[in-house]
Amino acid sequence: ETLDQERKDLVQDVRSLKEDKRAMVERLEELRGKGEAAGNAASRAEVEKLERTIADLNQELVNLHRKKSDNADRELELMKSNKKLEVMVSEQTKRLDELTLTKDELNPDKDNLKKQVETQAIELQTFLDEHLALQLAYARSENDLKTVKAENDELLTRWLQLKQEEADKQNATNE
């Protein structure tokens, strides 16, 4: 928008300068015609003044054309830059669309895997609970085994004593 406004201002300035120049050239021609006829020094001074003004206006016109050219170059560069940015935006939009599509395609897999992980976590907790229950049962069984072995050893010892006593009685009766 700023470049458009500058361009409009430059065009208006150029038109204005051209009109001023045309008016001064007409005035100069008019004065030259009068000056030659009258040979007047005042007319020559005014002619010289007008010629200097015209030269200044020509220089200002050249400067304005240069500025207009610079602005046109700048506008062209900005348009090229804008085009590159549009291409980049288009490419990034395509990439975003591709990634969104891939994400949408992977979402069901993600949901399934999430459900599987949740199910496996529940199964793992069940296995851990069962393992703990089995460890407790094993520990109780070991305690029961120790108790049974101790009772068995005691019974065996008592039985051996009884058998020894019977053998001793039998030996005493045999002697």
Side-chain angles (χ1 to χ4, degrees), residues 71-88:
N71 283 343
D73 290 343
R74 192 168 131 214
E75 182 178 8
L76 183 61
E77 287 176 24
L78 288 173
M79 286 173 33
K80 286 179 182 178
S81 175
N82 189 32
K83 188 66 175 175
K84 286 179 184 176
L85 289 174
E86 286 175 357
V87 168
M88 285 176 55

Side-chain angles (χ1 to χ4, degrees), residues 27-91:
R27 176 76 175 130
L28 178 63
E29 292 301 322
E30 180 184 317
L31 286 175
R32 278 187 183 153
K34 286 181 184 177
E36 287 175 4
N40 188 348
S43 292
R44 279 193 296 254
E46 191 175 344
V47 167
E48 288 175 7
K49 181 180 175 189
L50 283 174
E51 285 176 343
R52 280 193 303 273
T53 303
I54 289 173
D56 290 344
L57 288 175
N58 281 335
Q59 184 59 43
E60 191 173 343
L61 186 60
V62 167
N63 290 340
L64 287 174
H65 281 297
R66 192 174 294 133
K67 187 174 181 181
K68 182 179 177 183
S69 174
D70 291 345
N71 283 343
D73 290 343
R74 192 168 131 214
E75 182 178 8
L76 183 61
E77 287 176 24
L78 288 173
M79 286 173 33
K80 286 179 182 178
S81 175
N82 189 32
K83 188 66 175 175
K84 286 179 184 176
L85 289 174
E86 286 175 357
V87 168
M88 285 176 55
V89 165
S90 174
E91 290 171 356

Side-chain angles (χ1 to χ4, degrees), residues 11-170:
V11 168
Q12 184 60 36
D13 289 347
V14 167
R15 283 185 190 140
S16 174
L17 286 173
K18 283 181 178 179
E19 288 174 14
D20 290 350
K21 179 182 174 185
R22 187 181 47 78
M24 287 189 181
V25 167
E26 288 174 2
R27 176 76 175 130
L28 178 63
E29 292 301 322
E30 180 184 317
L31 286 175
R32 278 187 183 153
K34 286 181 184 177
E36 287 175 4
N40 188 348
S43 292
R44 279 193 296 254
E46 191 175 344
V47 167
E48 288 175 7
K49 181 180 175 189
L50 283 174
E51 285 176 343
R52 280 193 303 273
T53 303
I54 289 173
D56 290 344
L57 288 175
N58 281 335
Q59 184 59 43
E60 191 173 343
L61 186 60
V62 167
N63 290 340
L64 287 174
H65 281 297
R66 192 174 294 133
K67 187 174 181 181
K68 182 179 177 183
S69 174
D70 291 345
N71 283 343
D73 290 343
R74 192 168 131 214
E75 182 178 8
L76 183 61
E77 287 176 24
L78 288 173
M79 286 173 33
K80 286 179 182 178
S81 175
N82 189 32
K83 188 66 175 175
K84 286 179 184 176
L85 289 174
E86 286 175 357
V87 168
M88 285 176 55
V89 165
S90 174
E91 290 171 356
Q92 293 299 325
T93 302
K94 285 179 186 177
R95 180 70 178 139
L96 179 63
D97 291 344
E98 291 170 1
L99 290 174
T100 301
L101 182 62
T102 302
K103 179 187 149 252
D104 292 343
E105 290 172 355
L106 292 176
N107 267 342
D109 293 340
K110 178 194 76 150
D111 293 339
N112 288 337
L113 290 172
K114 189 175 180 181
K115 287 176 184 175
Q116 285 178 0
V117 166
E118 290 171 357
T119 303
Q120 289 176 349
I122 291 170
E123 289 175 358
L124 177 63
Q125 188 59 47
T126 303
F127 288 139
L128 290 173
D129 292 345
E130 288 176 1
H131 179 64
L132 182 60
L134 288 173
Q135 281 181 325
L136 290 172
Y138 178 73
R140 268 188 257 130
S141 295
E142 281 187 336
N143 285 338
D144 292 346
L145 179 62
K146 286 179 187 176
T147 304
V148 168
K149 276 186 179 181
E151 287 176 8
N152 189 28
D153 287 343
E154 184 182 323
L155 287 173
L156 187 59
T157 304
R158 284 177 47 205
W159 181 74
L160 285 174
Q161 280 178 344
L162 283 173
K163 286 296 180 187
Q164 186 64 38
E165 288 175 2
E166 282 179 18
D168 288 341
K169 282 185 190 176
Q170 184 97 358

